Amino acid sequence: SAVISQKPSRDICQRGTSLTIQCQVDSQVTMMFWYRQQPGQSLTLIATANQGSEATYESGFVIDKFPISRPNLTFSTLTVSNMSPEDSSIYLCSVPGRVNTGELFFGEGSRLTVL
Amino acid sequence: GDSVTQMEGPVTLSEEAFLTINCTYTATGYPSLFWYVQYPGEGLQLLLKATKADDKGSNKGFEATYRKETTSFHLEKGSVQVSDSAVYFCALSGGRDTGRRALTFGSGTRLQVQP
């Protein structure tokens, strides 16, 4: 399994500001995924971040709102821009396992509360 | 597109009761199927998986069998404990022919086990 560290683990933010979440993995991975878990809801994929290329966003998510960086094979950032209370969620970084059996490993998430 | 449907919760059981959480899916190709668990205040953990039809995944007394004919992957445990109280998510990954590595999640089912 992979060890995934996310920062911050939680934060309280003001409306209209932006926050960048960092994800560090203990091994090199080609793919990284960013998910959102709104309060009491399931996980929704925001985007896939491959090193060396632009992130691929899912329907309903756009780069201007959720810019992603992927500077190397062990690190990625997700920025939540111009936040509103509707952005209050847990944001999770995930990576595939080393053996291609399909599962993903998840960080503990970054819980954002927007006032 | 791919989708996962789970029974709604919360499910409340007494200790040592039998547990079933239903999960059905819609997918193209030959997906792999997973159950993840989220304990209170913790991150998402893989509980068990099955990668092809008729496979049975098992872990910590939980079992689920990949039923292609009914497109189901129901989670069962013969005797639940208070420590099993958590939210359980059914998920699938794209089939090998799709090349999609991200997971699609069900809505989650909260299990509460009372002593």
Side-chain angles (χ1 to χ4, degrees), chain B residues 24-46:
Chain B
T24 57
Y25 68 90
T26 302
T28 56
Y30 302 94
S32 295
L33 301 173
F34 307 88
W35 278 99
Y36 280 80
V37 59
Q38 190 172 40
Y39 297 103
E42 298 187 15
L44 207 61
Q45 303 173 27
L46 177 66

mmCIF file with all atom_site columns, all heavy atoms in Angstrom, chain B residues 24-46:
data_model
loop_
_atom_site.group_PDB
_atom_site.id
_atom_site.type_symbol
_atom_site.label_atom_id
_atom_site.label_alt_id
_atom_site.label_comp_id
_atom_site.label_asym_id
_atom_site.label_entity_id
_atom_site.label_seq_id
_atom_site.pdbx_PDB_ins_code
_atom_site.Cartn_x
_atom_site.Cartn_y
_atom_site.Cartn_z
_atom_site.occupancy
_atom_site.B_iso_or_equiv
_atom_site.pdbx_formal_charge
_atom_site.auth_seq_id
_atom_site.auth_comp_id
_atom_site.auth_asym_id
_atom_site.auth_atom_id
_atom_site.pdbx_PDB_model_num
ATOM 1   N N   . THR B 1 24 ? -25.558 -2.827  -5.959  1.00 0.00 ? 24 THR B N   1
ATOM 2   C CA  . THR B 1 24 ? -25.667 -3.236  -7.356  1.00 0.00 ? 24 THR B CA  1
ATOM 3   C C   . THR B 1 24 ? -24.945 -2.210  -8.206  1.00 0.00 ? 24 THR B C   1
ATOM 4   O O   . THR B 1 24 ? -24.751 -1.063  -7.797  1.00 0.00 ? 24 THR B O   1
ATOM 5   C CB  . THR B 1 24 ? -27.128 -3.357  -7.816  1.00 0.00 ? 24 THR B CB  1
ATOM 6   O OG1 . THR B 1 24 ? -27.786 -2.112  -7.603  1.00 0.00 ? 24 THR B OG1 1
ATOM 7   C CG2 . THR B 1 24 ? -27.860 -4.446  -7.060  1.00 0.00 ? 24 THR B CG2 1
ATOM 8   N N   . TYR B 1 25 ? -24.568 -2.615  -9.401  1.00 0.00 ? 25 TYR B N   1
ATOM 9   C CA  . TYR B 1 25 ? -23.755 -1.725  -10.225 1.00 0.00 ? 25 TYR B CA  1
ATOM 10  C C   . TYR B 1 25 ? -24.190 -1.777  -11.682 1.00 0.00 ? 25 TYR B C   1
ATOM 11  O O   . TYR B 1 25 ? -24.832 -2.731  -12.129 1.00 0.00 ? 25 TYR B O   1
ATOM 12  C CB  . TYR B 1 25 ? -22.276 -2.088  -10.103 1.00 0.00 ? 25 TYR B CB  1
ATOM 13  C CG  . TYR B 1 25 ? -21.924 -3.433  -10.708 1.00 0.00 ? 25 TYR B CG  1
ATOM 14  C CD1 . TYR B 1 25 ? -21.552 -3.539  -12.041 1.00 0.00 ? 25 TYR B CD1 1
ATOM 15  C CD2 . TYR B 1 25 ? -21.991 -4.594  -9.945  1.00 0.00 ? 25 TYR B CD2 1
ATOM 16  C CE1 . TYR B 1 25 ? -21.251 -4.767  -12.605 1.00 0.00 ? 25 TYR B CE1 1
ATOM 17  C CE2 . TYR B 1 25 ? -21.687 -5.827  -10.494 1.00 0.00 ? 25 TYR B CE2 1
ATOM 18  C CZ  . TYR B 1 25 ? -21.326 -5.913  -11.819 1.00 0.00 ? 25 TYR B CZ  1
ATOM 19  O OH  . TYR B 1 25 ? -21.038 -7.131  -12.382 1.00 0.00 ? 25 TYR B OH  1
ATOM 20  N N   . THR B 1 26 ? -23.801 -0.740  -12.396 1.00 0.00 ? 26 THR B N   1
ATOM 21  C CA  . THR B 1 26 ? -23.920 -0.683  -13.852 1.00 0.00 ? 26 THR B CA  1
ATOM 22  C C   . THR B 1 26 ? -22.558 -0.285  -14.391 1.00 0.00 ? 26 THR B C   1
ATOM 23  O O   . THR B 1 26 ? -21.989 0.711   -13.938 1.00 0.00 ? 26 THR B O   1
ATOM 24  C CB  . THR B 1 26 ? -24.966 0.362   -14.282 1.00 0.00 ? 26 THR B CB  1
ATOM 25  O OG1 . THR B 1 26 ? -26.213 0.043   -13.690 1.00 0.00 ? 26 THR B OG1 1
ATOM 26  C CG2 . THR B 1 26 ? -25.106 0.396   -15.795 1.00 0.00 ? 26 THR B CG2 1
ATOM 27  N N   . ALA B 1 27 ? -22.050 -1.082  -15.309 1.00 0.00 ? 27 ALA B N   1
ATOM 28  C CA  . ALA B 1 27 ? -20.720 -0.784  -15.847 1.00 0.00 ? 27 ALA B CA  1
ATOM 29  C C   . ALA B 1 27 ? -20.541 -1.453  -17.187 1.00 0.00 ? 27 ALA B C   1
ATOM 30  O O   . ALA B 1 27 ? -21.159 -2.471  -17.478 1.00 0.00 ? 27 ALA B O   1
ATOM 31  C CB  . ALA B 1 27 ? -19.634 -1.260  -14.884 1.00 0.00 ? 27 ALA B CB  1
ATOM 32  N N   . THR B 1 28 ? -19.665 -0.877  -17.991 1.00 0.00 ? 28 THR B N   1
ATOM 33  C CA  . THR B 1 28 ? -19.269 -1.522  -19.239 1.00 0.00 ? 28 THR B CA  1
ATOM 34  C C   . THR B 1 28 ? -18.058 -2.401  -18.969 1.00 0.00 ? 28 THR B C   1
ATOM 35  O O   . THR B 1 28 ? -17.313 -2.179  -18.010 1.00 0.00 ? 28 THR B O   1
ATOM 36  C CB  . THR B 1 28 ? -18.909 -0.476  -20.299 1.00 0.00 ? 28 THR B CB  1
ATOM 37  O OG1 . THR B 1 28 ? -17.880 0.369   -19.772 1.00 0.00 ? 28 THR B OG1 1
ATOM 38  C CG2 . THR B 1 28 ? -20.110 0.378   -20.645 1.00 0.00 ? 28 THR B CG2 1
ATOM 39  N N   . GLY B 1 29 ? -17.881 -3.383  -19.775 1.00 0.00 ? 29 GLY B N   1
ATOM 40  C CA  . GLY B 1 29 ? -16.705 -4.228  -19.637 1.00 0.00 ? 29 GLY B CA  1
ATOM 41  C C   . GLY B 1 29 ? -16.752 -5.104  -18.403 1.00 0.00 ? 29 GLY B C   1
ATOM 42  O O   . GLY B 1 29 ? -17.806 -5.573  -17.989 1.00 0.00 ? 29 GLY B O   1
ATOM 43  N N   . TYR B 1 30 ? -15.588 -5.276  -17.797 1.00 0.00 ? 30 TYR B N   1
ATOM 44  C CA  . TYR B 1 30 ? -15.452 -6.198  -16.675 1.00 0.00 ? 30 TYR B CA  1
ATOM 45  C C   . TYR B 1 30 ? -14.825 -5.461  -15.486 1.00 0.00 ? 30 TYR B C   1
ATOM 46  O O   . TYR B 1 30 ? -13.615 -5.521  -15.284 1.00 0.00 ? 30 TYR B O   1
ATOM 47  C CB  . TYR B 1 30 ? -14.580 -7.386  -17.095 1.00 0.00 ? 30 TYR B CB  1
ATOM 48  C CG  . TYR B 1 30 ? -15.148 -8.102  -18.292 1.00 0.00 ? 30 TYR B CG  1
ATOM 49  C CD1 . TYR B 1 30 ? -14.736 -7.784  -19.591 1.00 0.00 ? 30 TYR B CD1 1
ATOM 50  C CD2 . TYR B 1 30 ? -16.117 -9.088  -18.136 1.00 0.00 ? 30 TYR B CD2 1
ATOM 51  C CE1 . TYR B 1 30 ? -15.278 -8.425  -20.689 1.00 0.00 ? 30 TYR B CE1 1
ATOM 52  C CE2 . TYR B 1 30 ? -16.654 -9.743  -19.240 1.00 0.00 ? 30 TYR B CE2 1
ATOM 53  C CZ  . TYR B 1 30 ? -16.230 -9.392  -20.507 1.00 0.00 ? 30 TYR B CZ  1
ATOM 54  O OH  . TYR B 1 30 ? -16.757 -10.036 -21.600 1.00 0.00 ? 30 TYR B OH  1
ATOM 55  N N   . PRO B 1 31 ? -15.666 -4.762  -14.720 1.00 0.00 ? 31 PRO B N   1
ATOM 56  C CA  . PRO B 1 31 ? -15.098 -3.960  -13.623 1.00 0.00 ? 31 PRO B CA  1
ATOM 57  C C   . PRO B 1 31 ? -14.592 -4.814  -12.484 1.00 0.00 ? 31 PRO B C   1
ATOM 58  O O   . PRO B 1 31 ? -14.987 -5.972  -12.337 1.00 0.00 ? 31 PRO B O   1
ATOM 59  C CB  . PRO B 1 31 ? -16.299 -3.124  -13.163 1.00 0.00 ? 31 PRO B CB  1
ATOM 60  C CG  . PRO B 1 31 ? -17.484 -3.976  -13.485 1.00 0.00 ? 31 PRO B CG  1
ATOM 61  C CD  . PRO B 1 31 ? -17.129 -4.683  -14.773 1.00 0.00 ? 31 PRO B CD  1
ATOM 62  N N   . SER B 1 32 ? -13.733 -4.236  -11.675 1.00 0.00 ? 32 SER B N   1
ATOM 63  C CA  . SER B 1 32 ? -13.403 -4.785  -10.366 1.00 0.00 ? 32 SER B CA  1
ATOM 64  C C   . SER B 1 32 ? -14.301 -4.103  -9.342  1.00 0.00 ? 32 SER B C   1
ATOM 65  O O   . SER B 1 32 ? -14.691 -2.947  -9.511  1.00 0.00 ? 32 SER B O   1
ATOM 66  C CB  . SER B 1 32 ? -11.933 -4.525  -10.022 1.00 0.00 ? 32 SER B CB  1
ATOM 67  O OG  . SER B 1 32 ? -11.088 -5.224  -10.907 1.00 0.00 ? 32 SER B OG  1
ATOM 68  N N   . LEU B 1 33 ? -14.616 -4.817  -8.277  1.00 0.00 ? 33 LEU B N   1
ATOM 69  C CA  . LEU B 1 33 ? -15.559 -4.311  -7.277  1.00 0.00 ? 33 LEU B CA  1
ATOM 70  C C   . LEU B 1 33 ? -14.903 -4.254  -5.908  1.00 0.00 ? 33 LEU B C   1
ATOM 71  O O   . LEU B 1 33 ? -14.072 -5.119  -5.575  1.00 0.00 ? 33 LEU B O   1
ATOM 72  C CB  . LEU B 1 33 ? -16.799 -5.207  -7.227  1.00 0.00 ? 33 LEU B CB  1
ATOM 73  C CG  . LEU B 1 33 ? -17.573 -5.330  -8.542  1.00 0.00 ? 33 LEU B CG  1
ATOM 74  C CD1 . LEU B 1 33 ? -18.680 -6.370  -8.431  1.00 0.00 ? 33 LEU B CD1 1
ATOM 75  C CD2 . LEU B 1 33 ? -18.149 -3.987  -8.962  1.00 0.00 ? 33 LEU B CD2 1
ATOM 76  N N   . PHE B 1 34 ? -15.297 -3.265  -5.120  1.00 0.00 ? 34 PHE B N   1
ATOM 77  C CA  . PHE B 1 34 ? -14.636 -3.006  -3.843  1.00 0.00 ? 34 PHE B CA  1
ATOM 78  C C   . PHE B 1 34 ? -15.656 -2.604  -2.782  1.00 0.00 ? 34 PHE B C   1
ATOM 79  O O   . PHE B 1 34 ? -16.704 -2.027  -3.086  1.00 0.00 ? 34 PHE B O   1
ATOM 80  C CB  . PHE B 1 34 ? -13.631 -1.847  -3.980  1.00 0.00 ? 34 PHE B CB  1
ATOM 81  C CG  . PHE B 1 34 ? -12.651 -2.020  -5.094  1.00 0.00 ? 34 PHE B CG  1
ATOM 82  C CD1 . PHE B 1 34 ? -12.947 -1.574  -6.372  1.00 0.00 ? 34 PHE B CD1 1
ATOM 83  C CD2 . PHE B 1 34 ? -11.435 -2.639  -4.881  1.00 0.00 ? 34 PHE B CD2 1
ATOM 84  C CE1 . PHE B 1 34 ? -12.049 -1.739  -7.418  1.00 0.00 ? 34 PHE B CE1 1
ATOM 85  C CE2 . PHE B 1 34 ? -10.531 -2.810  -5.911  1.00 0.00 ? 34 PHE B CE2 1
ATOM 86  C CZ  . PHE B 1 34 ? -10.838 -2.359  -7.180  1.00 0.00 ? 34 PHE B CZ  1
ATOM 87  N N   . TRP B 1 35 ? -15.300 -2.899  -1.545  1.00 0.00 ? 35 TRP B N   1
ATOM 88  C CA  . TRP B 1 35 ? -15.947 -2.279  -0.400  1.00 0.00 ? 35 TRP B CA  1
ATOM 89  C C   . TRP B 1 35 ? -14.885 -1.523  0.382   1.00 0.00 ? 35 TRP B C   1
ATOM 90  O O   . TRP B 1 35 ? -13.828 -2.074  0.714   1.00 0.00 ? 35 TRP B O   1
ATOM 91  C CB  . TRP B 1 35 ? -16.608 -3.317  0.506   1.00 0.00 ? 35 TRP B CB  1
ATOM 92  C CG  . TRP B 1 35 ? -17.959 -3.732  0.013   1.00 0.00 ? 35 TRP B CG  1
ATOM 93  C CD1 . TRP B 1 35 ? -18.266 -4.860  -0.694  1.00 0.00 ? 35 TRP B CD1 1
ATOM 94  C CD2 . TRP B 1 35 ? -19.190 -3.025  0.192   1.00 0.00 ? 35 TRP B CD2 1
ATOM 95  N NE1 . TRP B 1 35 ? -19.613 -4.891  -0.973  1.00 0.00 ? 35 TRP B NE1 1
ATOM 96  C CE2 . TRP B 1 35 ? -20.206 -3.782  -0.445  1.00 0.00 ? 35 TRP B CE2 1
ATOM 97  C CE3 . TRP B 1 35 ? -19.541 -1.826  0.823   1.00 0.00 ? 35 TRP B CE3 1
ATOM 98  C CZ2 . TRP B 1 35 ? -21.534 -3.376  -0.457  1.00 0.00 ? 35 TRP B CZ2 1
ATOM 99  C CZ3 . TRP B 1 35 ? -20.866 -1.425  0.807   1.00 0.00 ? 35 TRP B CZ3 1
ATOM 100 C CH2 . TRP B 1 35 ? -21.859 -2.202  0.177   1.00 0.00 ? 35 TRP B CH2 1
ATOM 101 N N   . TYR B 1 36 ? -15.186 -0.253  0.638   1.00 0.00 ? 36 TYR B N   1
ATOM 102 C CA  . TYR B 1 36 ? -14.339 0.586   1.476   1.00 0.00 ? 36 TYR B CA  1
ATOM 103 C C   . TYR B 1 36 ? -15.096 0.901   2.763   1.00 0.00 ? 36 TYR B C   1
ATOM 104 O O   . TYR B 1 36 ? -16.333 0.946   2.790   1.00 0.00 ? 36 TYR B O   1
ATOM 105 C CB  . TYR B 1 36 ? -13.994 1.897   0.769   1.00 0.00 ? 36 TYR B CB  1
ATOM 106 C CG  . TYR B 1 36 ? -12.887 1.782   -0.246  1.00 0.00 ? 36 TYR B CG  1
ATOM 107 C CD1 . TYR B 1 36 ? -13.127 1.283   -1.525  1.00 0.00 ? 36 TYR B CD1 1
ATOM 108 C CD2 . TYR B 1 36 ? -11.587 2.169   0.073   1.00 0.00 ? 36 TYR B CD2 1
ATOM 109 C CE1 . TYR B 1 36 ? -12.109 1.175   -2.456  1.00 0.00 ? 36 TYR B CE1 1
ATOM 110 C CE2 . TYR B 1 36 ? -10.558 2.080   -0.852  1.00 0.00 ? 36 TYR B CE2 1
ATOM 111 C CZ  . TYR B 1 36 ? -10.827 1.577   -2.109  1.00 0.00 ? 36 TYR B CZ  1
ATOM 112 O OH  . TYR B 1 36 ? -9.813  1.476   -3.025  1.00 0.00 ? 36 TYR B OH  1
ATOM 113 N N   . VAL B 1 37 ? -14.337 1.177   3.823   1.00 0.00 ? 37 VAL B N   1
ATOM 114 C CA  . VAL B 1 37 ? -14.943 1.516   5.108   1.00 0.00 ? 37 VAL B CA  1
ATOM 115 C C   . VAL B 1 37 ? -14.318 2.800   5.631   1.00 0.00 ? 37 VAL B C   1
ATOM 116 O O   . VAL B 1 37 ? -13.114 3.039   5.456   1.00 0.00 ? 37 VAL B O   1
ATOM 117 C CB  . VAL B 1 37 ? -14.785 0.354   6.127   1.00 0.00 ? 37 VAL B CB  1
ATOM 118 C CG1 . VAL B 1 37 ? -13.320 0.000   6.369   1.00 0.00 ? 37 VAL B CG1 1
ATOM 119 C CG2 . VAL B 1 37 ? -15.475 0.684   7.437   1.00 0.00 ? 37 VAL B CG2 1
ATOM 120 N N   . GLN B 1 38 ? -15.164 3.617   6.227   1.00 0.00 ? 38 GLN B N   1
ATOM 121 C CA  . GLN B 1 38 ? -14.707 4.886   6.806   1.00 0.00 ? 38 GLN B CA  1
ATOM 122 C C   . GLN B 1 38 ? -15.168 4.907   8.258   1.00 0.00 ? 38 GLN B C   1
ATOM 123 O O   . GLN B 1 38 ? -16.346 5.144   8.551   1.00 0.00 ? 38 GLN B O   1
ATOM 124 C CB  . GLN B 1 38 ? -15.294 6.061   6.025   1.00 0.00 ? 38 GLN B CB  1
ATOM 125 C CG  . GLN B 1 38 ? -14.707 7.406   6.369   1.00 0.00 ? 38 GLN B CG  1
ATOM 126 C CD  . GLN B 1 38 ? -15.210 8.492   5.408   1.00 0.00 ? 38 GLN B CD  1
ATOM 127 O OE1 . GLN B 1 38 ? -16.384 8.502   5.038   1.00 0.00 ? 38 GLN B OE1 1
ATOM 128 N NE2 . GLN B 1 38 ? -14.332 9.385   5.000   1.00 0.00 ? 38 GLN B NE2 1
ATOM 129 N N   . TYR B 1 39 ? -14.233 4.637   9.175   1.00 0.00 ? 39 TYR B N   1
ATOM 130 C CA  . TYR B 1 39 ? -14.545 4.688   10.603  1.00 0.00 ? 39 TYR B CA  1
ATOM 131 C C   . TYR B 1 39 ? -14.625 6.142   11.050  1.00 0.00 ? 39 TYR B C   1
ATOM 132 O O   . TYR B 1 39 ? -14.008 7.024   10.427  1.00 0.00 ? 39 TYR B O   1
ATOM 133 C CB  . TYR B 1 39 ? -13.495 3.929   11.408  1.00 0.00 ? 39 TYR B CB  1
ATOM 134 C CG  . TYR B 1 39 ? -13.445 2.449   11.093  1.00 0.00 ? 39 TYR B CG  1
ATOM 135 C CD1 . TYR B 1 39 ? -12.436 1.913   10.298  1.00 0.00 ? 39 TYR B CD1 1
ATOM 136 C CD2 . TYR B 1 39 ? -14.427 1.582   11.571  1.00 0.00 ? 39 TYR B CD2 1
ATOM 137 C CE1 . TYR B 1 39 ? -12.400 0.567   9.989   1.00 0.00 ? 39 TYR B CE1 1
ATOM 138 C CE2 . TYR B 1 39 ? -14.393 0.232   11.260  1.00 0.00 ? 39 TYR B CE2 1
ATOM 139 C CZ  . TYR B 1 39 ? -13.385 -0.261  10.467  1.00 0.00 ? 39 TYR B CZ  1
ATOM 140 O OH  . TYR B 1 39 ? -13.351 -1.596  10.161  1.00 0.00 ? 39 TYR B OH  1
ATOM 141 N N   . PRO B 1 40 ? -15.350 6.411   12.112  1.00 0.00 ? 40 PRO B N   1
ATOM 142 C CA  . PRO B 1 40 ? -15.508 7.803   12.569  1.00 0.00 ? 40 PRO B CA  1
ATOM 143 C C   . PRO B 1 40 ? -14.164 8.500   12.749  1.00 0.00 ? 40 PRO B C   1
ATOM 144 O O   . PRO B 1 40 ? -13.269 7.995   13.445  1.00 0.00 ? 40 PRO B O   1
ATOM 145 C CB  . PRO B 1 40 ? -16.243 7.636   13.897  1.00 0.00 ? 40 PRO B CB  1
ATOM 146 C CG  . PRO B 1 40 ? -16.991 6.348   13.774  1.00 0.00 ? 40 PRO B CG  1
ATOM 147 C CD  . PRO B 1 40 ? -16.109 5.461   12.937  1.00 0.00 ? 40 PRO B CD  1
ATOM 148 N N   . GLY B 1 41 ? -14.023 9.643   12.115  1.00 0.00 ? 41 GLY B N   1
ATOM 149 C CA  . GLY B 1 41 ? -12.809 10.443  12.261  1.00 0.00 ? 41 GLY B CA  1
ATOM 150 C C   . GLY B 1 41 ? -11.593 9.910   11.535  1.00 0.00 ? 41 GLY B C   1
ATOM 151 O O   . GLY B 1 41 ? -10.492 10.448  11.705  1.00 0.00 ? 41 GLY B O   1
ATOM 152 N N   . GLU B 1 42 ? -11.768 8.878   10.726  1.00 0.00 ? 42 GLU B N   1
ATOM 153 C CA  . GLU B 1 42 ? -10.627 8.288   10.028  1.00 0.00 ? 42 GLU B CA  1
ATOM 154 C C   . GLU B 1 42 ? -10.791 8.384   8.516   1.00 0.00 ? 42 GLU B C   1
ATOM 155 O O   . GLU B 1 42 ? -11.855 8.735   8.003   1.00 0.00 ? 42 GLU B O   1
ATOM 156 C CB  . GLU B 1 42 ? -10.443 6.830   10.439  1.00 0.00 ? 42 GLU B CB  1
ATOM 157 C CG  . GLU B 1 42 ? -10.143 6.653   11.919  1.00 0.00 ? 42 GLU B CG  1
ATOM 158 C CD  . GLU B 1 42 ? -9.808  5.212   12.263  1.00 0.00 ? 42 GLU B CD  1
ATOM 159 O OE1 . GLU B 1 42 ? -9.532  4.415   11.335  1.00 0.00 ? 42 GLU B OE1 1
ATOM 160 O OE2 . GLU B 1 42 ? -9.847  4.887   13.458  1.00 0.00 ? 42 GLU B OE2 1
ATOM 161 N N   . GLY B 1 43 ? -9.724  8.038   7.808   1.00 0.00 ? 43 GLY B N   1
ATOM 162 C CA  . GLY B 1 43 ? -9.750  8.051   6.354   1.00 0.00 ? 43 GLY B CA  1
ATOM 163 C C   . GLY B 1 43 ? -10.407 6.810   5.786   1.00 0.00 ? 43 GLY B C   1
ATOM 164 O O   . GLY B 1 43 ? -10.820 5.900   6.502   1.00 0.00 ? 43 GLY B O   1
ATOM 165 N N   . LEU B 1 44 ? -10.476 6.764   4.478   1.00 0.00 ? 44 LEU B N   1
ATOM 166 C CA  . LEU B 1 44 ? -11.120 5.670   3.758   1.00 0.00 ? 44 LEU B CA  1
ATOM 167 C C   . LEU B 1 44 ? -10.138 4.502   3.638   1.00 0.00 ? 44 LEU B C   1
ATOM 168 O O   . LEU B 1 44 ? -9.002  4.676   3.204   1.00 0.00 ? 44 LEU B O   1
ATOM 169 C CB  . LEU B 1 44 ? -11.505 6.165   2.376   1.00 0.00 ? 44 LEU B CB  1
ATOM 170 C CG  . LEU B 1 44 ? -12.665 5.520   1.658   1.00 0.00 ? 44 LEU B CG  1
ATOM 171 C CD1 . LEU B 1 44 ? -13.945 5.684   2.452   1.00 0.00 ? 44 LEU B CD1 1
ATOM 172 C CD2 . LEU B 1 44 ? -12.839 6.135   0.277   1.00 0.00 ? 44 LEU B CD2 1
ATOM 173 N N   . GLN B 1 45 ? -10.620 3.304   4.006   1.00 0.00 ? 45 GLN B N   1
ATOM 174 C CA  . GLN B 1 45 ? -9.764  2.120   3.945   1.00 0.00 ? 45 GLN B CA  1
ATOM 175 C C   . GLN B 1 45 ? -10.414 1.057   3.071   1.00 0.00 ? 45 GLN B C   1
ATOM 176 O O   . GLN B 1 45 ? -11.621 0.857   3.136   1.00 0.00 ? 45 GLN B O   1
ATOM 177 C CB  . GLN B 1 45 ? -9.570  1.525   5.348   1.00 0.00 ? 45 GLN B CB  1
ATOM 178 C CG  . GLN B 1 45 ? -8.999  2.460   6.371   1.00 0.00 ? 45 GLN B CG  1
ATOM 179 C CD  . GLN B 1 45 ? -9.023  1.822   7.756   1.00 0.00 ? 45 GLN B CD  1
ATOM 180 O OE1 . GLN B 1 45 ? -8.985  0.596   7.894   1.00 0.00 ? 45 GLN B OE1 1
ATOM 181 N NE2 . GLN B 1 45 ? -9.110  2.653   8.776   1.00 0.00 ? 45 GLN B NE2 1
ATOM 182 N N   . LEU B 1 46 ? -9.596  0.359   2.319   1.00 0.00 ? 46 LEU B N   1
ATOM 183 C CA  . LEU B 1 46 ? -10.103 -0.770  1.543   1.00 0.00 ? 46 LEU B CA  1
ATOM 184 C C   . LEU B 1 46 ? -10.455 -1.914  2.487   1.00 0.00 ? 46 LEU B C   1
ATOM 185 O O   . LEU B 1 46 ? -9.637  -2.323  3.313   1.00 0.00 ? 46 LEU B O   1
ATOM 186 C CB  . LEU B 1 46 ? -9.046  -1.229  0.546   1.00 0.00 ? 46 LEU B CB  1
ATOM 187 C CG  . LEU B 1 46 ? -9.408  -2.452  -0.298  1.00 0.00 ? 46 LEU B CG  1
ATOM 188 C CD1 . LEU B 1 46 ? -10.569 -2.144  -1.232  1.00 0.00 ? 46 LEU B CD1 1
ATOM 189 C CD2 . LEU B 1 46 ? -8.200  -2.920  -1.099  1.00 0.00 ? 46 LEU B CD2 1
#
